[in-house]
Amino acid sequence: MPRTRTAARPAAGPRHLHPGAWWLWALGLAAAASRTTNALLLLLIGAVAGYVVAARRGDEPWSRSYGAFLRLGLLVLGIRMVFTVLLGSPVQGTHVLLTLPQLPLPHWAQGVRVGGAITLEGLLFALYEGLKLAVLLVCVGAANALASPTRLLRALPGALYEAGLAAVVAMTFAPNLVADVRRLRAARRLRGRDDRGVAALLSVGLPVLEGALERSVALAAAMDTRGFGRTADVPRRLARATAALTLLGLLGVCAALYGLLGAAGGGWAPPVLLLGLASAAAGLLLGGRRSLRTRYRPDPWAAREWLVAGSGVAVAVLTIWCAGRWPAAFAPSVVPPEVPGLPLPAAAAVLLGLVPAVAAPTPPRRSS
């Protein structure tokens, strides 16, 4: 469909931001979190993500998924601490807080310990590592709460449409499940029944599974009606070139990101990343010829999208630069334990992530 002038112009009032901008912003925060074990910086990144979600979250069902990711992060942190207490830590320390009875294990289980001394150094190491993983989950949850999965699917290249559809269905499963449970619990309350406890939760399990099955059948019927899976005939040589370019590009991007997130990839990783992106983009462009689909009123990419995506990229770049300049501030010592300080340049860089709270447009409300 040819793009009309009215469709390409961004609306002046409330509108949805391009989902790609939200994901770039969230991945920028996640990249910053992956570079540090400083608890203060990690908490600051989580607070920035939470504030932006509170300021620009809509009222769609998938917008309420942030709380689930927040609880999942706390669960991961708790599991990490419990495993450290029960199984010990690879970090040995001298500040023993508690000594649990140690379970004797057979000879073939050497290297595994159950119980024993719990040190302050080991707990601090587990806390920092678990907090880093929890903040990464919070950043992903922020993107899920702010970016519409269906709009993200429309923005994907044609070569990634089928994989993107599977990812969208997976991402929307949890919010729909939570919405179904809330709806059924509200129905039980209206009937005067108890909606708390394990028994009440189990009683709504069958209706929830039935609803999930009905939605799956309806989705399959809609996909079949719209001709999902139909592909255009392209020369075999072009298909092989597309697969080779895409595979090499993705491998190059993964290797470059591994180098950038590590400490030894500062020299070779940037050119490999550029080559990988160019190869992957060429492969995706050629692969899009096999996809037969049209787009109706594509989301605009305007100045607000540039500001939101740019803030995430700026947070990632500045944090990585600060981590290389002040490595001790980004990785507080646990042996001997020390109180982490807040590096002001890095904190200022993280606060750039608050730009979307002002620059992003207000999402439209379903009731309006």
Side-chain angles (χ1 to χ4, degrees):
M1 171 180 289
R3 180 182 298 182
T4 62
R5 185 177 180 181
T6 304
R9 182 185 304 164
R15 67 176 178 90
H16 289 287
L17 195 78
H18 196 289
W22 280 128
W23 273 100
L24 285 176
W25 167 78
L27 292 178
L29 293 183
S34 68
R35 299 291 297 185
T36 180
T37 55
N38 188 314
L40 297 180
L41 273 180
L42 290 173
L43 291 177
L44 182 61
I45 294 172
V48 167
Y51 182 81
V52 174
V53 170
R56 286 297 180 265
R57 182 173 57 179
D59 57 354
E60 291 84 357
W62 41 265
S63 300
R64 293 190 288 269
S65 62
Y66 180 73
F69 278 91
L70 191 60
R71 288 190 288 272
L72 179 61
L74 294 176
L75 178 64
V76 169
L77 178 60
I79 291 176
R80 184 73 171 85
M81 298 297 292
V82 169
F83 270 79
T84 300
V85 170
L86 295 180
L87 303 179
S89 172
V91 176
Q92 302 298 326
T94 56
H95 298 77
V96 179
L97 301 178
L98 181 65
T99 303
L100 296 177
Q102 189 165 357
L103 184 66
L105 297 176
H107 177 73
W108 53 266
Q110 285 186 353
V112 179
R113 194 196 72 180
V114 179
I118 304 170
T119 63
L120 175 63
E121 292 85 350
L123 287 180
L124 282 178
F125 179 77
L127 176 64
Y128 292 161
E129 294 296 327
L131 187 59
K132 178 196 289 188
L133 185 55
V135 173
L136 289 176
L137 289 173
V138 166
C139 294
V140 175
N144 273 277
L146 293 171
S148 170
T150 55
R151 291 178 179 273
L152 178 63
L153 180 62
R154 289 195 311 177
L156 284 177
L160 297 178
Y161 182 75
E162 296 181 3
L165 179 62
V168 167
V169 172
M171 285 192 301
T172 55
F173 175 76
N176 289 331
L177 189 65
V178 172
D180 286 347
V181 171
R182 287 181 176 176
R183 177 172 53 83
L184 292 173
R185 292 181 64 183
R188 287 180 62 89
R189 285 198 300 270
L190 291 176
R191 294 170 183 166
R193 298 179 181 176
D194 188 13
D195 65 326
R196 298 180 180 276
V198 179
L201 185 61
L202 293 177
S203 66
V204 302
L206 185 59
V208 167
L209 292 178
E210 182 181 359
L213 181 60
E214 290 179 352
R215 280 198 305 273
S216 301
V217 173
L219 176 62
M223 292 167 63
D224 182 68
T225 303
R226 291 167 173 80
F228 179 78
R230 288 185 303 177
T231 57
D233 292 331
V234 296
R236 181 172 298 180
R237 183 179 303 174
L238 179 61
R240 291 177 179 174
T242 301
L245 287 173
T246 305
L247 182 60
L248 291 176
L250 293 180
L251 288 177
V253 170
C254 292
L257 290 179
Y258 180 79
L260 287 175
L261 295 177
W268 59 269
V272 172
L273 178 62
L274 293 178
L275 291 176
L277 288 176
S279 177
L284 294 178
L285 184 62
L286 293 177
R289 296 184 179 182
R290 292 174 57 92
S291 178
L292 297 174
R293 65 190 182 106
T294 59
R295 292 183 182 179
Y296 177 67
R297 301 179 65 179
D299 291 327
W301 187 281
R304 292 173 182 266
E305 277 78 7
W306 284 112
L307 285 174
V308 173
S311 68
V313 174
V315 170
V317 172
L318 292 177
T319 305
I320 292 174
W321 180 78
C322 292
R325 188 170 179 85
W326 298 287
F330 277 72
S333 172
V334 294
V335 183
E338 67 177 15
V339 178
L342 183 63
L344 294 181
V350 172
L351 290 179
L352 289 176
L354 291 174
V355 169
V358 180
T362 304
R365 302 293 176 181
R366 288 188 299 176
S367 57
S368 60

